[in-house]
Amino acid sequence: PDEQILEIRPDGGVVLNDLALDTPTSQALPELQKTLLRFREACAAAKVEAMLTIDAGDGVPHQRVIDVLNACAQAEVVNISFALEADDAL
């Protein structure tokens, strides 16, 4: 599988593999949607599973996580997991 890491920052910023996308206030996240769509299409062409790990640390508004999940749904990326902090895993 091909896995991408998406970080959601407390200020609302969205960073996919060290590339900042959209603005922290953009609810629709069009750049993220386009990037995820290209990622899913490339994975499909290579016959590998598209996987996305979301890293939303403490202080990230729940609405921002929902915005990101909506962008994933629009791009039809369905294999999504959430990163856990070491303290959370206990």
Side-chain angles (χ1 to χ4, degrees):
D2 189 1
E3 181 180 14
Q4 304 293 306
I5 307 296
L6 187 137
E7 176 189 358
I8 306 174
R9 297 185 172 157
D11 70 353
V14 176
V15 180
L16 182 65
N17 296 329
D18 298 323
L19 175 65
L21 298 168
D22 297 298
T23 64
T25 58
S26 171
Q27 189 172 8
L29 298 169
E31 291 175 8
L32 177 61
Q33 283 183 33
K34 289 178 196 171
T35 303
L36 290 175
L37 180 60
R38 286 193 308 265
F39 165 61
R40 185 187 52 78
E41 290 172 344
C43 287
K47 298 186 188 307
V48 296
E49 190 174 6
M51 296 174 57
L52 181 69
T53 298
I54 297 174
D55 182 2
D58 291 339
V60 172
H62 292 130
Q63 182 59 52
R64 194 57 169 171
V65 175
I66 293 169
D67 295 343
V68 167
L69 289 173
N70 286 338
C72 292
Q74 290 294 319
E76 298 180 17
V77 174
V78 296
N79 194 343
I80 301 168
S81 61
F82 286 88
L84 293 175
E85 305 262 335
D87 296 348
D88 294 341
L90 298 176

Coordinates of all heavy atoms in Angstrom, one line a residue:
P1 N 0.8 -1.2 0.0 CA 0.0 0.0 0.0 C 0.9 1.3 0.0 O 2.0 1.2 0.4 CB -0.8 -0.1 1.3 CG -0.2 -1.2 2.1 CD 0.7 -2.0 1.2
D2 N 0.3 2.3 -0.5 CA 1.0 3.6 -0.5 C 0.3 4.5 0.5 O -0.9 4.7 0.5 CB 0.8 4.3 -1.9 CG 1.7 5.5 -2.1 OD1 2.4 5.9 -1.1 OD2 1.6 6.1 -3.1
E3 N 1.1 4.9 1.5 CA 0.5 5.6 2.7 C 1.0 7.1 2.6 O 2.2 7.3 2.5 CB 0.9 5.0 4.0 CG 0.3 5.7 5.2 CD 0.7 5.1 6.5 OE1 1.6 4.2 6.5 OE2 0.1 5.4 7.5
Q4 N 0.1 8.0 2.9 CA 0.4 9.4 3.0 C 0.1 9.8 4.4 O -0.8 9.3 5.0 CB -0.4 10.2 2.0 CG -0.3 9.8 0.5 CD 1.1 10.0 0.0 OE1 1.6 11.1 0.1 NE2 1.7 9.0 -0.5
I5 N 0.8 10.8 4.9 CA 0.6 11.4 6.2 C 0.0 12.8 6.1 O 0.7 13.6 5.5 CB 1.9 11.4 7.1 CG1 2.6 10.0 7.1 CG2 1.6 11.9 8.5 CD1 1.8 8.9 7.7
L6 N -1.1 13.0 6.7 CA -1.7 14.3 6.7 C -1.8 14.8 8.1 O -2.4 14.2 9.0 CB -3.1 14.2 6.1 CG -3.8 15.5 5.9 CD1 -4.5 15.5 4.6 CD2 -4.8 15.8 7.0
E7 N -1.2 16.0 8.3 CA -1.1 16.6 9.7 C -2.1 17.7 9.7 O -2.2 18.6 8.8 CB 0.3 17.1 10.0 CG 0.4 17.9 11.3 CD 1.7 18.6 11.5 OE1 2.6 18.5 10.6 OE2 1.8 19.3 12.5
I8 N -2.9 17.7 10.7 CA -3.8 18.9 11.0 C -3.3 19.6 12.2 O -3.2 19.1 13.3 CB -5.3 18.4 11.3 CG1 -5.8 17.5 10.2 CG2 -6.2 19.7 11.4 CD1 -7.2 16.9 10.5
R9 N -3.0 20.9 12.0 CA -2.4 21.7 13.0 C -3.4 22.4 13.8 O -4.5 22.6 13.4 CB -1.4 22.7 12.4 CG -0.2 22.0 11.7 CD 0.8 22.9 11.2 NE 1.9 22.1 10.7 CZ 2.8 22.6 9.8 NH1 2.7 23.8 9.3 NH2 3.8 21.8 9.4
P10 N -3.1 22.8 15.1 CA -4.1 23.4 15.9 C -4.7 24.7 15.4 O -5.8 25.1 15.6 CB -3.3 23.7 17.2 CG -2.3 22.6 17.3 CD -1.9 22.4 15.8
D11 N -3.9 25.4 14.5 CA -4.4 26.6 13.9 C -5.3 26.4 12.7 O -5.8 27.3 12.0 CB -3.3 27.5 13.5 CG -2.4 27.0 12.3 OD1 -2.7 25.9 11.8 OD2 -1.6 27.8 11.8
G12 N -5.5 25.0 12.4 CA -6.4 24.7 11.2 C -5.6 24.4 10.0 O -6.2 24.0 9.0
G13 N -4.3 24.6 10.0 CA -3.5 24.3 8.8 C -3.5 22.8 8.5 O -3.5 22.0 9.4
V14 N -3.4 22.5 7.2 CA -3.4 21.1 6.8 C -2.1 20.9 6.0 O -1.9 21.6 5.0 CB -4.7 20.8 5.9 CG1 -4.6 19.4 5.3 CG2 -5.9 21.0 6.7
V15 N -1.4 19.9 6.4 CA -0.1 19.6 5.7 C 0.0 18.1 5.3 O -0.2 17.2 6.1 CB 1.1 19.9 6.7 CG1 2.4 19.6 6.0 CG2 1.0 21.3 7.2
L16 N 0.1 17.9 4.0 CA 0.2 16.5 3.5 C 1.7 16.3 3.1 O 2.2 16.9 2.1 CB -0.7 16.4 2.3 CG -0.8 15.0 1.6 CD1 -1.4 14.0 2.6 CD2 -1.6 15.0 0.4
N17 N 2.3 15.4 3.8 CA 3.7 15.1 3.5 C 4.6 16.3 3.4 O 5.3 16.5 2.4 CB 3.8 14.2 2.2 CG 3.2 12.9 2.4 OD1 3.1 12.3 3.5 ND2 2.7 12.4 1.3
D18 N 4.5 17.2 4.3 CA 5.3 18.4 4.4 C 4.9 19.5 3.4 O 5.6 20.5 3.3 CB 6.8 18.2 4.3 CG 7.3 17.3 5.4 OD1 6.8 17.4 6.6 OD2 8.2 16.4 5.2
L19 N 3.8 19.3 2.7 CA 3.3 20.3 1.8 C 2.0 20.9 2.4 O 1.0 20.3 2.5 CB 3.0 19.7 0.4 CG 2.3 20.6 -0.6 CD1 3.3 21.7 -1.0 CD2 1.9 19.8 -1.8
A20 N 2.1 22.2 2.7 CA 0.9 22.9 3.2 C -0.1 23.1 2.1 O 0.2 23.5 1.0 CB 1.3 24.3 3.8
L21 N -1.4 22.8 2.4 CA -2.5 23.0 1.4 C -3.6 23.8 1.9 O -3.9 23.8 3.1 CB -3.0 21.6 1.1 CG -2.1 20.6 0.4 CD1 -2.6 19.2 0.4 CD2 -1.7 21.0 -1.0
D22 N -4.2 24.6 1.1 CA -5.3 25.5 1.4 C -4.9 26.5 2.5 O -3.8 26.5 2.9 CB -6.5 24.7 1.8 CG -7.0 23.8 0.6 OD1 -7.4 24.4 -0.4 OD2 -7.0 22.6 0.7
T23 N -5.9 27.2 3.0 CA -5.7 28.1 4.1 C -6.3 27.5 5.4 O -7.2 26.7 5.3 CB -6.3 29.5 3.9 OG1 -7.8 29.3 3.8 CG2 -5.8 30.1 2.6
P24 N -5.8 27.9 6.5 CA -6.4 27.4 7.8 C -7.9 27.6 8.0 O -8.5 26.9 8.7 CB -5.6 28.1 8.9 CG -4.3 28.4 8.2 CD -4.6 28.7 6.8
T25 N -8.4 28.6 7.2 CA -9.9 28.9 7.4 C -10.7 28.3 6.2 O -11.9 28.4 6.3 CB -10.1 30.4 7.4 OG1 -9.5 31.0 6.2 CG2 -9.4 31.0 8.6
S26 N -10.1 27.6 5.2 CA -10.8 27.1 4.1 C -11.6 25.8 4.6 O -10.9 24.8 4.9 CB -9.9 26.7 3.0 OG -10.6 26.0 2.0
Q27 N -12.9 25.8 4.6 CA -13.7 24.7 5.0 C -13.8 23.6 3.9 O -13.8 22.5 4.2 CB -15.1 25.1 5.4 CG -15.8 24.0 6.1 CD -17.2 24.5 6.7 OE1 -17.6 25.7 6.5 NE2 -17.8 23.7 7.4
A28 N -13.8 24.0 2.6 CA -14.0 23.1 1.5 C -12.7 22.4 1.2 O -12.7 21.3 0.7 CB -14.5 23.8 0.3
L29 N -11.5 23.0 1.5 CA -10.2 22.4 1.2 C -10.1 21.9 -0.2 O -9.7 20.7 -0.5 CB -10.0 21.2 2.2 CG -9.9 21.6 3.7 CD1 -9.9 20.4 4.6 CD2 -8.7 22.5 4.0
P30 N -10.2 22.7 -1.2 CA -10.2 22.3 -2.6 C -8.8 21.8 -3.0 O -8.7 20.8 -3.8 CB -10.5 23.5 -3.4 CG -10.3 24.7 -2.5 CD -10.5 24.2 -1.1
E31 N -7.7 22.4 -2.5 CA -6.4 21.9 -2.9 C -6.2 20.5 -2.3 O -5.6 19.6 -3.0 CB -5.3 22.8 -2.3 CG -5.2 24.1 -3.0 CD -4.2 25.1 -2.4 OE1 -3.4 24.6 -1.5 OE2 -4.2 26.3 -2.8
L32 N -6.6 20.2 -1.1 CA -6.5 18.9 -0.5 C -7.3 17.9 -1.3 O -6.8 16.8 -1.6 CB -6.9 18.9 1.0 CG -6.9 17.6 1.7 CD1 -5.5 17.0 1.7 CD2 -7.5 17.7 3.1
Q33 N -8.5 18.3 -1.7 CA -9.4 17.3 -2.4 C -8.7 16.9 -3.7 O -8.6 15.8 -4.1 CB -10.7 18.0 -2.8 CG -11.7 18.0 -1.6 CD -13.0 18.6 -2.0 OE1 -13.4 18.4 -3.2 NE2 -13.6 19.3 -1.1
K34 N -8.2 17.9 -4.5 CA -7.5 17.6 -5.8 C -6.3 16.8 -5.6 O -6.0 15.8 -6.3 CB -7.1 18.9 -6.4 CG -8.2 19.7 -7.0 CD -7.7 21.0 -7.6 CE -8.9 22.0 -7.8 NZ -8.4 23.3 -8.2
T35 N -5.5 17.1 -4.5 CA -4.3 16.3 -4.3 C -4.6 14.8 -3.9 O -4.0 13.9 -4.4 CB -3.4 16.9 -3.2 OG1 -3.1 18.3 -3.6 CG2 -2.1 16.2 -2.9
L36 N -5.6 14.7 -3.0 CA -6.0 13.3 -2.6 C -6.6 12.5 -3.8 O -6.4 11.3 -3.9 CB -7.0 13.4 -1.5 CG -6.5 13.8 -0.1 CD1 -7.6 14.0 0.9 CD2 -5.4 12.9 0.4
L37 N -7.3 13.2 -4.7 CA -7.9 12.6 -5.9 C -6.8 12.1 -6.8 O -6.8 10.9 -7.2 CB -8.8 13.5 -6.6 CG -9.5 13.0 -7.9 CD1 -10.4 11.8 -7.6 CD2 -10.3 14.1 -8.6
R38 N -5.8 12.9 -7.0 CA -4.6 12.5 -7.8 C -3.9 11.3 -7.2 O -3.5 10.4 -7.8 CB -3.7 13.6 -8.1 CG -4.2 14.7 -9.1 CD -3.1 15.6 -9.5 NE -2.4 16.3 -8.4 CZ -2.7 17.4 -7.9 NH1 -3.7 18.1 -8.4 NH2 -2.0 17.9 -6.9
F39 N -3.8 11.4 -5.9 CA -3.1 10.3 -5.1 C -3.9 9.0 -5.3 O -3.4 7.9 -5.6 CB -3.0 10.7 -3.6 CG -2.7 9.5 -2.7 CD1 -1.5 8.8 -2.8 CD2 -3.6 9.2 -1.7 CE1 -1.2 7.8 -1.9 CE2 -3.3 8.2 -0.8 CZ -2.1 7.5 -0.9
R40 N -5.2 9.0 -5.1 CA -6.0 7.8 -5.3 C -6.0 7.3 -6.7 O -5.9 6.1 -6.9 CB -7.5 8.1 -4.9 CG -8.4 6.8 -4.9 CD -9.8 7.1 -4.7 NE -10.4 8.1 -5.6 CZ -10.7 7.9 -6.9 NH1 -10.5 6.8 -7.4 NH2 -11.3 8.9 -7.6
E41 N -6.0 8.2 -7.7 CA -6.0 7.7 -9.1 C -4.6 7.1 -9.4 O -4.6 6.1 -10.1 CB -6.3 8.9 -10.0 CG -7.7 9.3 -10.0 CD -8.0 10.6 -10.7 OE1 -7.0 11.3 -11.1 OE2 -9.2 10.9 -11.0
A42 N -3.5 7.7 -8.9 CA -2.2 7.1 -9.1 C -2.1 5.7 -8.4 O -1.5 4.8 -9.0 CB -1.1 8.0 -8.5
C43 N -2.6 5.6 -7.3 CA -2.6 4.3 -6.6 C -3.4 3.3 -7.4 O -3.0 2.1 -7.5 CB -3.1 4.4 -5.2 SG -2.0 5.2 -4.0
A44 N -4.6 3.7 -7.9 CA -5.4 2.7 -8.6 C -4.7 2.3 -9.9 O -4.7 1.1 -10.3 CB -6.7 3.4 -9.0
A45 N -4.0 3.2 -10.6 CA -3.2 2.9 -11.8 C -2.1 1.9 -11.5 O -1.8 1.1 -12.3 CB -2.7 4.2 -12.4
A46 N -1.5 2.1 -10.3 CA -0.4 1.2 -9.9 C -0.9 0.0 -9.2 O -0.1 -0.9 -8.8 CB 0.6 2.0 -9.0
K47 N -2.2 -0.2 -9.0 CA -2.8 -1.3 -8.4 C -2.3 -1.5 -7.0 O -2.0 -2.6 -6.5 CB -2.6 -2.6 -9.2 CG -3.2 -2.5 -10.6 CD -3.1 -3.8 -11.3 CE -3.6 -3.7 -12.7 NZ -4.8 -3.2 -13.1
V48 N -2.2 -0.4 -6.2 CA -1.8 -0.4 -4.8 C -2.9 0.3 -4.0 O -3.7 1.1 -4.6 CB -0.5 0.2 -4.5 CG1 0.7 -0.6 -5.2 CG2 -0.4 1.6 -4.9
E49 N -3.0 0.0 -2.8 CA -4.1 0.6 -2.0 C -3.7 2.0 -1.5 O -2.5 2.1 -1.0 CB -4.3 -0.3 -0.7 CG -5.5 0.0 0.1 CD -5.8 -1.0 1.2 OE1 -5.0 -1.9 1.4 OE2 -6.8 -0.8 1.8
A50 N -4.6 2.9 -1.6 CA -4.3 4.3 -1.2 C -4.7 4.3 0.3 O -5.8 4.1 0.7 CB -5.1 5.3 -2.0
M51 N -3.7 4.7 1.1 CA -3.9 4.8 2.6 C -3.5 6.2 3.0 O -2.5 6.7 2.6 CB -3.1 3.7 3.3 CG -3.4 2.3 3.0 SD -2.3 1.1 3.7 CE -2.5 1.5 5.4
L52 N -4.3 6.7 4.0 CA -4.0 8.0 4.5 C -4.1 7.9 6.1 O -5.0 7.3 6.6 CB -5.1 9.0 4.1 CG -5.0 10.4 4.6 CD1 -3.8 11.1 3.9 CD2 -6.2 11.2 4.2
T53 N -3.0 8.5 6.7 CA -3.0 8.5 8.1 C -3.1 10.0 8.5 O -2.4 10.8 8.1 CB -1.7 8.0 8.7 OG1 -1.6 6.6 8.4 CG2 -1.6 8.1 10.2
I54 N -4.1 10.3 9.4 CA -4.4 11.7 9.8 C -3.8 11.8 11.2 O -4.1 11.1 12.1 CB -5.9 12.0 9.8 CG1 -6.4 11.9 8.4 CG2 -6.1 13.3 10.5 CD1 -7.9 12.0 8.3
D55 N -2.9 12.8 11.3 CA -2.3 13.2 12.6 C -2.9 14.5 13.1 O -2.6 15.5 12.6 CB -0.8 13.3 12.4 CG -0.1 13.6 13.8 OD1 -0.7 13.7 14.8 OD2 1.1 13.8 13.7
A56 N -3.9 14.3 14.0 CA -4.6 15.5 14.5 C -4.3 15.5 16.0 O -5.0 14.9 16.8 CB -6.1 15.4 14.3
G57 N -3.3 16.3 16.4 CA -2.9 16.4 17.8 C -3.9 17.1 18.7 O -5.0 17.6 18.3
D58 N -3.5 17.3 19.9 CA -4.3 18.0 20.9 C -4.5 19.4 20.4 O -3.6 20.0 19.8 CB -3.6 18.1 22.3 CG -3.6 16.7 22.9 OD1 -4.4 15.8 22.6 OD2 -2.7 16.5 23.8
G59 N -5.7 20.0 20.6 CA -5.9 21.4 20.3 C -6.5 21.6 18.9 O -6.9 22.7 18.5
V60 N -6.6 20.5 18.1 CA -7.2 20.6 16.8 C -8.7 20.6 16.9 O -9.3 19.7 17.5 CB -6.7 19.5 15.9 CG1 -7.5 19.5 14.6 CG2 -5.2 19.5 15.6
P61 N -9.4 21.6 16.4 CA -10.8 21.6 16.5 C -11.5 20.4 15.8 O -11.0 20.0 14.7 CB -11.2 22.9 15.8 CG -10.0 23.8 15.8 CD -8.9 22.8 15.8
H62 N -12.5 19.9 16.4 CA -13.2 18.7 15.8 C -13.7 19.0 14.5 O -13.7 18.2 13.6 CB -14.3 18.2 16.8 CG -13.8 17.6 18.0 ND1 -14.2 18.0 19.2 CD2 -12.8 16.7 18.3 CE1 -13.6 17.3 20.2 NE2 -12.7 16.5 19.6
Q63 N -14.2 20.2 14.3 CA -14.8 20.6 13.0 C -13.7 20.5 11.9 O -14.0 20.2 10.8 CB -15.4 22.0 13.0 CG -16.0 22.5 11.7 CD -17.1 21.6 11.3 OE1 -18.0 21.3 12.0 NE2 -17.1 21.1 10.0
R64 N -12.5 20.8 12.2 CA -11.4 20.8 11.2 C -11.1 19.3 10.8 O -10.9 19.0 9.6 CB -10.1 21.4 11.7 CG -9.1 21.7 10.7 CD -9.7 22.5 9.6 NE -8.8 23.0 8.6 CZ -9.1 23.6 7.5 NH1 -10.4 23.9 7.2 NH2 -8.2 24.0 6.7
V65 N -11.2 18.4 11.7 CA -11.1 17.0 11.4 C -12.2 16.6 10.5 O -12.0 15.9 9.5 CB -11.0 16.1 12.7 CG1 -11.0 14.6 12.3 CG2 -9.9 16.5 13.5
I66 N -13.4 17.0 10.7 CA -14.6 16.7 9.9 C -14.4 17.3 8.5 O -14.7 16.7 7.5 CB -15.9 17.3 10.5 CG1 -16.2 16.4 11.8 CG2 -17.0 17.2 9.5 CD1 -17.3 17.0 12.6
D67 N -13.8 18.6 8.4 CA -13.5 19.2 7.1 C -12.6 18.3 6.3 O -12.8 18.1 5.1 CB -12.9 20.6 7.3 CG -13.8 21.6 7.9 OD1 -15.1 21.4 7.9 OD2 -13.3 22.6 8.4
V68 N -11.6 17.8 7.0 CA -10.6 16.9 6.3 C -11.2 15.6 5.9 O -11.0 15.1 4.7 CB -9.3 16.7 7.2 CG1 -8.5 15.5 6.7 CG2 -8.5 18.0 7.3
L69 N -12.0 15.0 6.7 CA -12.7 13.8 6.4 C -13.7 14.0 5.2 O -13.8 13.1 4.3 CB -13.5 13.2 7.6 CG -12.6 12.6 8.7 CD1 -13.4 12.2 9.9 CD2 -11.7 11.4 8.1
N70 N -14.3 15.2 5.1 CA -15.2 15.5 4.0 C -14.4 15.6 2.7 O -14.8 15.1 1.6 CB -16.0 16.8 4.2 CG -17.1 16.6 5.2 OD1 -17.6 15.5 5.5 ND2 -17.5 17.7 5.9
A71 N -13.2 16.2 2.8 CA -12.3 16.3 1.6 C -11.9 14.9 1.2 O -11.9 14.6 0.0 CB -11.1 17.1 1.9
C72 N -11.6 14.0 2.1 CA -11.3 12.6 1.8 C -12.4 11.9 1.1 O -12.2 11.2 0.1 CB -10.9 11.8 3.1 SG -9.4 12.4 3.8
A73 N -13.6 12.1 1.6 CA -14.8 11.5 1.0 C -15.0 12.0 -0.4 O -15.3 11.2 -1.3 CB -16.1 11.8 1.8
Q74 N -14.8 13.3 -0.7 CA -15.0 13.8 -2.0 C -14.0 13.2 -3.0 O -14.2 13.0 -4.1 CB -14.8 15.4 -2.0 CG -15.9 16.1 -1.3 CD -17.2 16.0 -2.1 OE1 -17.3 16.0 -3.3 NE2 -18.3 15.7 -1.4
A75 N -12.8 12.9 -2.5 CA -11.7 12.3 -3.3 C -11.8 10.8 -3.3 O -11.0 10.1 -4.0 CB -10.3 12.7 -2.8
E76 N -12.8 10.3 -2.6 CA -13.0 8.8 -2.5 C -11.8 8.1 -2.0 O -11.6 6.9 -2.4 CB -13.5 8.3 -3.9 CG -14.8 8.9 -4.4 CD -15.2 8.3 -5.7 OE1 -14.7 7.3 -6.2 OE2 -16.1 9.0 -6.3
V77 N -11.2 8.7 -1.0 CA -10.1 8.0 -0.3 C -10.8 7.4 1.0 O -11.4 8.2 1.8 CB -9.0 8.9 0.2 CG1 -8.0 8.2 1.1 CG2 -8.3 9.5 -1.1
V78 N -10.8 6.1 1.1 CA -11.6 5.5 2.1 C -10.8 4.7 3.2 O -11.3 4.4 4.3 CB -12.6 4.5 1.6 CG1 -13.7 5.3 0.7 CG2 -12.0 3.4 0.7
N79 N -9.5 4.4 2.9 CA -8.7 3.7 3.9 C -7.9 4.8 4.7 O -6.8 5.2 4.3 CB -7.7 2.8 3.2 CG -7.1 1.8 4.1 OD1 -7.1 2.0 5.3 ND2 -6.5 0.8 3.6
I80 N -8.6 5.2 5.8 CA -8.0 6.3 6.6 C -7.8 5.8 8.0 O -8.7 5.1 8.6 CB -9.0 7.5 6.6 CG1 -9.3 8.0 5.2 CG2 -8.6 8.6 7.5 CD1 -10.4 8.9 5.1
S81 N -6.7 6.1 8.6 CA -6.5 5.8 10.0 C -6.0 7.1 10.7 O -5.6 8.1 10.1 CB -5.4 4.7 10.2 OG -4.2 5.1 9.6
F82 N -6.0 7.1 12.1 CA -5.6 8.2 12.8 C -4.3 7.8 13.6 O -4.3 6.7 14.2 CB -6.7 8.7 13.8 CG -7.8 9.4 13.1 CD1 -8.9 8.7 12.6 CD2 -7.8 10.7 13.0 CE1 -9.9 9.3 12.0 CE2 -8.8 11.4 12.4 CZ -9.9 10.7 11.9
A83 N -3.3 8.7 13.6 CA -2.1 8.5 14.4 C -2.4 8.8 15.9 O -3.2 9.7 16.2 CB -1.0 9.5 13.9
L84 N -1.8 8.0 16.7 CA -2.0 8.2 18.1 C -0.7 8.7 18.7 O 0.4 8.2 18.3 CB -2.4 6.9 18.8 CG -3.7 6.3 18.5 CD1 -3.9 4.9 19.2 CD2 -4.8 7.2 19.0
E85 N -0.8 9.5 19.7 CA 0.4 9.9 20.5 C 0.8 8.8 21.4 O 0.0 7.9 21.7 CB 0.1 11.1 21.3 CG -0.5 12.3 20.6 CD 0.5 13.4 20.3 OE1 1.5 13.4 21.0 OE2 0.3 14.1 19.3
A86 N 2.1 8.7 21.7 CA 2.5 7.6 22.6 C 1.7 7.5 23.9 O 1.4 6.4 24.3 CB 4.0 7.8 22.9
D87 N 1.4 8.6 24.5 CA 0.6 8.7 25.7 C -0.8 8.1 25.5 O -1.4 7.5 26.4 CB 0.4 10.1 26.2 CG 1.8 10.7 26.6 OD1 2.8 9.9 26.7 OD2 1.9 11.9 26.9
D88 N -1.4 8.3 24.3 CA -2.7 7.8 24.0 C -2.8 6.3 23.8 O -3.9 5.8 24.0 CB -3.2 8.5 22.7 CG -3.4 10.0 22.8 OD1 -3.5 10.5 23.9 OD2 -3.5 10.7 21.7
A89 N -1.7 5.7 23.5 CA -1.8 4.3 23.2 C -1.8 3.4 24.5 O -2.1 2.3 24.5 CB -0.5 3.9 22.4
L90 N -1.6 4.1 25.6 CA -1.6 3.3 26.9 C -2.9 3.1 27.4 O -3.9 3.5 27.4 CB -0.7 4.0 27.9 CG 0.8 4.1 27.5 CD1 1.5 4.9 28.6 CD2 1.4 2.8 27.4

